[in-house]
Amino acid sequence: LRSTSVLSSSAFSMSRTDGRKLVAFAGTAIVGALGFATIYLPFMADRDKLRGLFEEGEQSIPEGARREIQAILKAERESQQRMDEVVQQQQQYEEAEEQEEKQKASPGSMWSNFRRKQ
């Protein structure tokens, strides 16, 4: 029994200063990592490479994605053309209605109906 208690007390006991050193080391490591991330990464490292934007142009887009983008753009153009046609038809319809209203109205003064007919 004595041997186990001696081992456990001497092998696993940490002095108070060891704990303080461990906390100081951990704090220094955290502050160092934050400083590195704050100062080095934005200003020194190649930001485009970090973001994955180092390849530009047609070669950087996979073929499947390129086809999908073209299909979406084509569908948007067709939708816009249909919308333009609908707006144009609506304008023509409104203009035709205005013309009909003008033709139905009798020309002349609005007081002509109140005049005496002789």
Side-chain angles (χ1 to χ4, degrees):
L1 289 174
R2 284 182 138 194
S3 63
T4 58
S5 65
V6 171
L7 279 176
S8 65
S9 65
S10 65
F12 294 112
S13 70
M14 292 179 70
S15 70
R16 193 176 201 107
T17 57
D18 289 341
R20 288 182 181 165
K21 288 180 183 177
L22 183 63
V23 170
F25 177 74
T28 305
I30 291 171
V31 170
L34 290 175
F36 175 78
T38 303
I39 295 170
Y40 176 76
L41 291 178
F43 299 110
M44 302 298 189
D46 189 1
R47 287 181 272 176
D48 290 340
K49 287 184 180 177
L50 291 174
R51 294 180 187 145
L53 301 174
F54 55 91
E55 295 179 10
E56 292 186 12
E58 294 291 320
Q59 293 78 18
S60 64
I61 301 173
E63 186 62 33
R66 186 178 300 125
R67 275 188 255 124
E68 229 176 284
I69 291 170
Q70 288 173 347
I72 290 170
L73 290 174
K74 183 180 177 184
E76 285 180 3
R77 273 184 257 137
E78 290 172 355
S79 173
Q80 185 64 36
Q81 286 176 349
R82 285 192 301 260
M83 213 40 157
D84 290 343
E85 289 173 2
V86 168
V87 168
Q88 192 176 24
Q89 289 175 356
Q90 181 69 22
Q91 287 175 348
Q92 289 175 351
Y93 177 75
E94 288 174 358
E95 289 174 2
E97 277 187 347
E98 287 177 12
Q99 289 294 331
E100 287 179 17
E101 287 179 13
K102 285 181 182 178
Q103 289 175 356
K104 287 181 183 177
S106 61
S109 171
M110 65 180 200
W111 303 109
S112 63
N113 293 333
F114 295 110
R115 289 190 190 145
R116 287 189 178 172
K117 293 186 178 180
Q118 294 178 1

PDB file of all heavy atoms in Angstrom, residues 90-104:
ATOM      1  N   GLN A  90     -49.830  44.417 -74.005  1.00  0.00           N
ATOM      2  CA  GLN A  90     -50.662  45.178 -73.070  1.00  0.00           C
ATOM      3  C   GLN A  90     -50.714  46.647 -73.484  1.00  0.00           C
ATOM      4  O   GLN A  90     -51.783  47.258 -73.469  1.00  0.00           O
ATOM      5  CB  GLN A  90     -50.103  45.041 -71.638  1.00  0.00           C
ATOM      6  CG  GLN A  90     -50.900  45.766 -70.585  1.00  0.00           C
ATOM      7  CD  GLN A  90     -52.259  45.143 -70.345  1.00  0.00           C
ATOM      8  OE1 GLN A  90     -52.485  43.991 -70.642  1.00  0.00           O
ATOM      9  NE2 GLN A  90     -53.170  45.938 -69.823  1.00  0.00           N
ATOM     10  N   GLN A  91     -49.577  47.197 -73.888  1.00  0.00           N
ATOM     11  CA  GLN A  91     -49.552  48.591 -74.321  1.00  0.00           C
ATOM     12  C   GLN A  91     -50.384  48.779 -75.592  1.00  0.00           C
ATOM     13  O   GLN A  91     -51.126  49.758 -75.724  1.00  0.00           O
ATOM     14  CB  GLN A  91     -48.118  49.041 -74.561  1.00  0.00           C
ATOM     15  CG  GLN A  91     -47.323  49.239 -73.294  1.00  0.00           C
ATOM     16  CD  GLN A  91     -45.869  49.565 -73.560  1.00  0.00           C
ATOM     17  OE1 GLN A  91     -45.397  49.433 -74.694  1.00  0.00           O
ATOM     18  NE2 GLN A  91     -45.157  49.996 -72.530  1.00  0.00           N
ATOM     19  N   GLN A  92     -50.280  47.843 -76.534  1.00  0.00           N
ATOM     20  CA  GLN A  92     -51.074  47.937 -77.756  1.00  0.00           C
ATOM     21  C   GLN A  92     -52.564  47.847 -77.446  1.00  0.00           C
ATOM     22  O   GLN A  92     -53.376  48.571 -78.029  1.00  0.00           O
ATOM     23  CB  GLN A  92     -50.664  46.828 -78.727  1.00  0.00           C
ATOM     24  CG  GLN A  92     -49.296  47.036 -79.331  1.00  0.00           C
ATOM     25  CD  GLN A  92     -48.863  45.857 -80.190  1.00  0.00           C
ATOM     26  OE1 GLN A  92     -49.510  44.820 -80.207  1.00  0.00           O
ATOM     27  NE2 GLN A  92     -47.737  46.017 -80.886  1.00  0.00           N
ATOM     28  N   TYR A  93     -52.926  46.970 -76.518  1.00  0.00           N
ATOM     29  CA  TYR A  93     -54.329  46.820 -76.139  1.00  0.00           C
ATOM     30  C   TYR A  93     -54.858  48.109 -75.511  1.00  0.00           C
ATOM     31  O   TYR A  93     -55.953  48.554 -75.826  1.00  0.00           O
ATOM     32  CB  TYR A  93     -54.471  45.640 -75.162  1.00  0.00           C
ATOM     33  CG  TYR A  93     -55.864  45.438 -74.656  1.00  0.00           C
ATOM     34  CD1 TYR A  93     -56.845  44.881 -75.470  1.00  0.00           C
ATOM     35  CD2 TYR A  93     -56.207  45.797 -73.362  1.00  0.00           C
ATOM     36  CE1 TYR A  93     -58.130  44.696 -75.010  1.00  0.00           C
ATOM     37  CE2 TYR A  93     -57.490  45.619 -72.885  1.00  0.00           C
ATOM     38  CZ  TYR A  93     -58.445  45.066 -73.703  1.00  0.00           C
ATOM     39  OH  TYR A  93     -59.717  44.880 -73.246  1.00  0.00           O
ATOM     40  N   GLU A  94     -54.052  48.706 -74.637  1.00  0.00           N
ATOM     41  CA  GLU A  94     -54.480  49.954 -74.001  1.00  0.00           C
ATOM     42  C   GLU A  94     -54.616  51.073 -75.025  1.00  0.00           C
ATOM     43  O   GLU A  94     -55.556  51.873 -74.956  1.00  0.00           O
ATOM     44  CB  GLU A  94     -53.480  50.344 -72.908  1.00  0.00           C
ATOM     45  CG  GLU A  94     -53.544  49.455 -71.684  1.00  0.00           C
ATOM     46  CD  GLU A  94     -52.446  49.765 -70.678  1.00  0.00           C
ATOM     47  OE1 GLU A  94     -51.609  50.659 -70.944  1.00  0.00           O
ATOM     48  OE2 GLU A  94     -52.422  49.102 -69.629  1.00  0.00           O
ATOM     49  N   GLU A  95     -53.694  51.146 -75.983  1.00  0.00           N
ATOM     50  CA  GLU A  95     -53.785  52.162 -77.020  1.00  0.00           C
ATOM     51  C   GLU A  95     -55.027  51.953 -77.877  1.00  0.00           C
ATOM     52  O   GLU A  95     -55.712  52.915 -78.254  1.00  0.00           O
ATOM     53  CB  GLU A  95     -52.536  52.143 -77.894  1.00  0.00           C
ATOM     54  CG  GLU A  95     -51.296  52.668 -77.200  1.00  0.00           C
ATOM     55  CD  GLU A  95     -50.046  52.505 -78.044  1.00  0.00           C
ATOM     56  OE1 GLU A  95     -50.145  52.015 -79.190  1.00  0.00           O
ATOM     57  OE2 GLU A  95     -48.960  52.855 -77.548  1.00  0.00           O
ATOM     58  N   ALA A  96     -55.344  50.700 -78.182  1.00  0.00           N
ATOM     59  CA  ALA A  96     -56.542  50.410 -78.976  1.00  0.00           C
ATOM     60  C   ALA A  96     -57.804  50.806 -78.212  1.00  0.00           C
ATOM     61  O   ALA A  96     -58.755  51.349 -78.802  1.00  0.00           O
ATOM     62  CB  ALA A  96     -56.582  48.928 -79.335  1.00  0.00           C
ATOM     63  N   GLU A  97     -57.827  50.559 -76.920  1.00  0.00           N
ATOM     64  CA  GLU A  97     -58.990  50.954 -76.111  1.00  0.00           C
ATOM     65  C   GLU A  97     -59.158  52.464 -76.104  1.00  0.00           C
ATOM     66  O   GLU A  97     -60.267  52.981 -76.205  1.00  0.00           O
ATOM     67  CB  GLU A  97     -58.838  50.445 -74.674  1.00  0.00           C
ATOM     68  CG  GLU A  97     -59.254  49.021 -74.473  1.00  0.00           C
ATOM     69  CD  GLU A  97     -59.231  48.631 -72.990  1.00  0.00           C
ATOM     70  OE1 GLU A  97     -58.669  49.394 -72.179  1.00  0.00           O
ATOM     71  OE2 GLU A  97     -59.774  47.576 -72.673  1.00  0.00           O
ATOM     72  N   GLU A  98     -58.050  53.182 -75.981  1.00  0.00           N
ATOM     73  CA  GLU A  98     -58.126  54.648 -75.990  1.00  0.00           C
ATOM     74  C   GLU A  98     -58.661  55.151 -77.327  1.00  0.00           C
ATOM     75  O   GLU A  98     -59.464  56.086 -77.371  1.00  0.00           O
ATOM     76  CB  GLU A  98     -56.742  55.238 -75.715  1.00  0.00           C
ATOM     77  CG  GLU A  98     -56.276  55.105 -74.287  1.00  0.00           C
ATOM     78  CD  GLU A  98     -54.873  55.642 -74.083  1.00  0.00           C
ATOM     79  OE1 GLU A  98     -54.351  56.323 -74.999  1.00  0.00           O
ATOM     80  OE2 GLU A  98     -54.299  55.371 -73.016  1.00  0.00           O
ATOM     81  N   GLN A  99     -58.228  54.540 -78.413  1.00  0.00           N
ATOM     82  CA  GLN A  99     -58.706  54.941 -79.738  1.00  0.00           C
ATOM     83  C   GLN A  99     -60.213  54.706 -79.864  1.00  0.00           C
ATOM     84  O   GLN A  99     -60.940  55.535 -80.404  1.00  0.00           O
ATOM     85  CB  GLN A  99     -57.957  54.172 -80.835  1.00  0.00           C
ATOM     86  CG  GLN A  99     -56.517  54.580 -81.000  1.00  0.00           C
ATOM     87  CD  GLN A  99     -56.395  56.011 -81.507  1.00  0.00           C
ATOM     88  OE1 GLN A  99     -57.246  56.519 -82.204  1.00  0.00           O
ATOM     89  NE2 GLN A  99     -55.318  56.667 -81.107  1.00  0.00           N
ATOM     90  N   GLU A 100     -60.678  53.542 -79.363  1.00  0.00           N
ATOM     91  CA  GLU A 100     -62.118  53.242 -79.422  1.00  0.00           C
ATOM     92  C   GLU A 100     -62.921  54.242 -78.609  1.00  0.00           C
ATOM     93  O   GLU A 100     -63.998  54.683 -79.041  1.00  0.00           O
ATOM     94  CB  GLU A 100     -62.374  51.825 -78.907  1.00  0.00           C
ATOM     95  CG  GLU A 100     -61.943  50.739 -79.855  1.00  0.00           C
ATOM     96  CD  GLU A 100     -62.187  49.340 -79.288  1.00  0.00           C
ATOM     97  OE1 GLU A 100     -62.971  49.221 -78.322  1.00  0.00           O
ATOM     98  OE2 GLU A 100     -61.588  48.399 -79.798  1.00  0.00           O
ATOM     99  N   GLU A 101     -62.427  54.612 -77.443  1.00  0.00           N
ATOM    100  CA  GLU A 101     -63.138  55.579 -76.608  1.00  0.00           C
ATOM    101  C   GLU A 101     -63.207  56.938 -77.302  1.00  0.00           C
ATOM    102  O   GLU A 101     -64.212  57.640 -77.224  1.00  0.00           O
ATOM    103  CB  GLU A 101     -62.449  55.704 -75.249  1.00  0.00           C
ATOM    104  CG  GLU A 101     -62.675  54.508 -74.352  1.00  0.00           C
ATOM    105  CD  GLU A 101     -61.953  54.646 -73.018  1.00  0.00           C
ATOM    106  OE1 GLU A 101     -61.492  55.760 -72.699  1.00  0.00           O
ATOM    107  OE2 GLU A 101     -61.854  53.635 -72.322  1.00  0.00           O
ATOM    108  N   LYS A 102     -62.124  57.312 -77.965  1.00  0.00           N
ATOM    109  CA  LYS A 102     -62.122  58.591 -78.665  1.00  0.00           C
ATOM    110  C   LYS A 102     -63.104  58.574 -79.837  1.00  0.00           C
ATOM    111  O   LYS A 102     -63.756  59.565 -80.135  1.00  0.00           O
ATOM    112  CB  LYS A 102     -60.714  58.913 -79.172  1.00  0.00           C
ATOM    113  CG  LYS A 102     -59.779  59.352 -78.087  1.00  0.00           C
ATOM    114  CD  LYS A 102     -58.403  59.674 -78.649  1.00  0.00           C
ATOM    115  CE  LYS A 102     -57.453  60.067 -77.538  1.00  0.00           C
ATOM    116  NZ  LYS A 102     -56.110  60.342 -78.055  1.00  0.00           N
ATOM    117  N   GLN A 103     -63.238  57.428 -80.511  1.00  0.00           N
ATOM    118  CA  GLN A 103     -64.146  57.332 -81.645  1.00  0.00           C
ATOM    119  C   GLN A 103     -65.599  57.322 -81.182  1.00  0.00           C
ATOM    120  O   GLN A 103     -66.477  57.834 -81.859  1.00  0.00           O
ATOM    121  CB  GLN A 103     -63.847  56.075 -82.457  1.00  0.00           C
ATOM    122  CG  GLN A 103     -62.551  56.165 -83.229  1.00  0.00           C
ATOM    123  CD  GLN A 103     -62.207  54.869 -83.936  1.00  0.00           C
ATOM    124  OE1 GLN A 103     -62.904  53.881 -83.783  1.00  0.00           O
ATOM    125  NE2 GLN A 103     -61.124  54.897 -84.700  1.00  0.00           N
ATOM    126  N   LYS A 104     -65.882  56.737 -80.044  1.00  0.00           N
ATOM    127  CA  LYS A 104     -67.262  56.691 -79.528  1.00  0.00           C
ATOM    128  C   LYS A 104     -67.742  58.066 -79.097  1.00  0.00           C
ATOM    129  O   LYS A 104     -68.910  58.390 -79.236  1.00  0.00           O
ATOM    130  CB  LYS A 104     -67.343  55.732 -78.330  1.00  0.00           C
ATOM    131  CG  LYS A 104     -67.260  54.285 -78.707  1.00  0.00           C
ATOM    132  CD  LYS A 104     -67.375  53.412 -77.468  1.00  0.00           C
ATOM    133  CE  LYS A 104     -67.209  51.948 -77.813  1.00  0.00           C
ATOM    134  NZ  LYS A 104     -67.246  51.092 -76.605  1.00  0.00           N
TER     135      LYS A 104
END
